[in-house]
Amino acid sequence: MMLIGHRGCKYPGYNQNTIRAFEKVTSEGVPAIEFDVQLSADKELVVVHNLDLEEVSTGKGEDRIPFLAEVFDFFASCAEDRRPSIHMELKGNNTGKQAGELFNEYVAAGKLNISDLLVSSFNWEELKSLREVCPEAKIALLDGAIRRNLLLKKTGPEAEKYFAELFA
């Protein structure tokens, strides 16, 4: 079983999906961190689950919504042998290609490894867009329950090759 820091952590005084939350769970040895990526109105990739300010802010001004590049900088700053796995969920439309291109920059610069990343989404099209620019990335299609036939309808027959690992 793998322990994953969902949105970093939800400890009192910590905002989810923030660098400070990621630092907290990393200091506790959590081996993987999940976070959400959306596109801002000005087309920047930001790490935020939703715009419910009670969830994304303690109201004390300690944290702000980070850009995806800042989150990748955080992971790149971790010693490779202690770096948590990156579980990036694409929440919004038009995030896959841009997120994949940005991750490729970190890999090309030797700051992160392709094996550090798992990308998930409820949106198959975003996963396909990411895979077009980052073909070696591990991907996971999210759904409310594991229902192979419904997933096939959502994704089409081209996704069948990935199902062998999911449906044994």
Side-chain angles (χ1 to χ4, degrees):
M1 179 172 78
M2 177 185 279
L3 179 64
I4 300 172
H6 185 244
R7 300 183 206 150
C9 65
K10 191 174 181 175
Y11 295 150
Y14 284 83
N15 300 325
Q16 295 179 14
N17 276 322
T18 63
I19 301 297
R20 203 164 61 92
F22 301 156
E23 290 170 342
K24 174 71 172 162
V25 295
T26 299
S27 74
E28 294 176 349
V30 173
I33 297 176
E34 182 273 345
F35 58 87
D36 307 302
V37 176
Q38 300 207 43
L39 206 56
S40 67
D42 60 353
K43 309 291 187 225
E44 294 290 332
L45 292 171
V46 292
V47 175
V48 63
H49 178 72
N50 60 40
L51 296 178
D52 179 345
L53 294 181
E54 294 206 5
E55 282 193 29
V56 300
S57 175
T58 61
K60 297 180 182 176
E62 299 160 306
D63 299 308
R64 62 174 177 71
I65 296 171
F67 292 103
L68 180 57
E70 293 172 316
V71 172
F72 285 164
D73 285 341
F74 162 73
F75 283 103
S77 74
C78 297
E80 200 168 334
D81 63 333
R82 297 185 39 87
R83 180 183 301 148
S85 295
I86 302 168
H87 288 224
M88 178 172 68
E89 182 181 344
L90 303 174
K91 298 285 284 187
N93 293 329
N94 303 309
T95 54
K97 182 179 179 187
Q98 196 173 339
E101 289 171 342
L102 181 62
F103 188 75
N104 283 341
E105 291 175 22
Y106 280 78
V107 171
K111 295 178 180 181
L112 294 172
N113 302 308
I114 194 71
S115 61
D116 292 330
L117 181 68
L118 170 68
V119 183
S120 62
S121 183
F122 286 93
N123 186 331
W124 176 245
E125 294 304 316
E126 291 306 320
L127 292 172
K128 282 181 16 181
S129 294
L130 178 121
R131 267 292 185 72
E132 287 173 9
V133 297
C134 199
E136 295 178 29
K138 292 178 280 184
I139 59 172
L141 180 65
L142 300 174
D143 197 77
I146 299 194
R147 299 171 294 211
R148 184 181 183 281
N149 290 336
L150 289 175
L151 285 173
L152 270 175
K153 285 181 184 178
K154 258 185 172 177
T155 61
E158 65 192 66
E160 181 80 38
K161 62 184 172 189
Y162 301 112
F163 286 6
E165 294 177 26
L166 299 174
F167 302 101

